């Protein structure tokens, strides 16, 4: 990649489920002082609203309407962001595996993606942005000066997710996790609209054998070359 100084302060971080995008984005956010756009949370919020309203994954028009009218607020707390959907705190609900699976289905609907596009772009400010998702570098911020694409084997990602859930006291079967992640990868990568794939100018980092600190250091080095 040719590295040139840029004024637009956006780093996109894309990659499959469970690869550690959220962790890396938070660390970058602390280092650079830039906010994070967790685009997955928007799809998870849409999925939560749909599940609350009893809307099925096949009812594309109703899902689109939910995304267009999405009534959400984000509040900063000492423990991170709090997500309010129609005034109800859904910060925990949106992180559940079932919500993630529904989010992946909802995210394949063209009208839903179109409705959420402007919401995502409006979060870019001159103060910088770290955008976490699947299509941040390809669709939402195609002109971002630094695009990162993280990968890791499905087994490694399932192992990481397993440890995370176990730490939270949630008991899951690792084989179910691998199956879930693989199904989600398939759906996210093969959908017609904005499929999961690296942008042509993305820096691809295979994190399978890297520590979090090593991944963070690599991205920070690139960011410093570009933005300092
Ligand atoms: O990153 P996550 O696990 O919170 O995302 C949940 C789902 O939302 C994911 O399976 C696919 C979808 N998603 C998407 O299609 N595009 C994004 N930019 C972010 C998430």
């Amino acid at each position: 990649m040719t590295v040139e100084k840029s004024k637009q302060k956006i780093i996109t971080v894309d990659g499959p489920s469970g690869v550690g995008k959220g962790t890396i984005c938070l660390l970058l956010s602390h280092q650079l002082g830039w906010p994070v756009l967790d685009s997955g949370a928007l799809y998870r919020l849409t999925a939560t609203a749909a599940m609350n309203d009893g809307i099925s994954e096949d009812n594309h028009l109703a899902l689109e309407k939910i995304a267009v009218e999405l009534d959400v607020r984000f509040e900063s707390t000492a423990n991170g962001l709090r997500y309010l959907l129609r005034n109800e705190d859904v910060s925990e609900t949106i992180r559940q595996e079932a919500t993630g699976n529904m989010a992946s289905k909802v995210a394949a609907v063209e009208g839903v993606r179109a409705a959420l596009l402007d919401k995502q772009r409006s979060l870019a400010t001159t103060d910088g942005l770290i955008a976490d998702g699947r299509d941040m570098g390809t669709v939402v911020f195609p002109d971002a000066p630094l695009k990162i694409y993280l990968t890791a084997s499905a087994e490694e990602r399932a192992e990481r997710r397993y440890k995370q859930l176990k730490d939270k006291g949630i008991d899951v079967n690792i084989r179910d996790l691998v199956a879930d992640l693989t199904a989600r990868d398939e759906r996210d990568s093969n959908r017609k609209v904005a499929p999961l794939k690296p942008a042509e100018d993305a820096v691809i980092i295979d994190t399978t054998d890297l520590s979090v600190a090593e991944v963070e250091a690599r991205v920070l080095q690139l960011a410093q070359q570009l933005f300092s």
Side-chain angles (χ1 to χ4, degrees):
M1 185 184 94
T2 47
V3 176
E4 39 182 62
K5 302 269 172 203
S6 171
K7 289 208 177 96
Q8 196 192 19
K9 294 199 223 161
I10 299 182
I11 302 176
T12 59
V13 182
D14 289 302
S17 302
V19 77
K21 301 183 297 289
T23 307
I24 291 298
C25 287
L26 269 186
L27 290 168
L28 292 174
S29 170
H30 286 139
Q31 290 289 341
L32 300 170
W34 300 359
V36 176
L37 159 62
D38 177 359
S39 62
L42 289 174
Y43 291 97
R44 286 172 182 266
L45 286 159
T46 308
T48 304
M51 290 192 292
N52 287 349
D53 290 358
I55 291 166
S56 92
E57 63 196 66
D58 304 318
N59 192 344
H60 292 190
L61 272 183
L63 291 175
E64 178 178 341
K65 188 162 181 284
I66 291 240
V68 169
E69 294 171 356
L70 199 63
D71 171 12
V72 287
R73 274 184 299 127
F74 313 110
E75 283 178 6
S76 262
T77 73
N79 301 321
L81 271 191
R82 210 157 80 99
Y83 292 89
L84 298 159
L85 174 68
R86 300 165 179 165
N87 284 327
E88 187 197 337
D89 187 347
V90 291
S91 313
E92 283 185 16
T93 314
I94 62 167
R95 296 299 161 203
Q96 289 166 3
E97 296 298 302
T99 314
N101 284 331
M102 181 65 170
S104 164
K105 291 172 186 164
V106 159
V109 179
E110 192 166 4
V112 169
R113 301 202 76 87
L116 297 183
L117 192 58
D118 286 344
K119 289 195 205 315
Q120 295 171 78
R121 288 193 176 141
S122 70
L123 294 168
T125 67
T126 48
D127 294 337
L129 187 72
I130 300 159
D132 166 341
R134 305 290 187 294
D135 61 340
M136 298 295 99
T138 50
V139 175
V140 183
F141 300 113
D143 298 327
L146 180 56
K147 299 178 184 175
I148 304 293
Y149 189 88
L150 301 180
T151 63
S153 67
E155 288 71 22
E156 172 65 22
R157 288 183 282 129
E159 187 78 30
R160 291 177 191 169
R161 173 86 26 112
Y162 178 76
K163 281 191 193 134
Q164 251 179 9
L165 293 172
K166 209 158 179 214
D167 285 348
K168 285 193 203 160
I170 303 170
D171 204 16
V172 279
N173 177 309
I174 189 126
R175 258 189 265 150
D176 290 348
L177 278 181
V178 175
D180 256 19
L181 281 177
T182 313
R184 247 211 272 171
D185 286 355
E186 284 265 322
R187 204 179 305 114
D188 294 346
S189 308
N190 296 323
R191 67 181 175 222
K192 280 206 211 99
V193 217
L196 166 68
K197 63 171 182 193
E200 275 176 19
D201 50 351
V203 177
I204 299 177
I205 303 178
D206 185 344
T207 71
T208 308
D209 297 314
L210 296 180
S211 67
V212 170
E214 285 170 321
V215 179
E216 182 194 8
R218 280 196 197 182
V219 181
L220 267 181
Q221 193 192 16
L222 292 166
Q224 272 149 8
Q225 283 174 304
L226 274 168
F227 302 112
S228 58

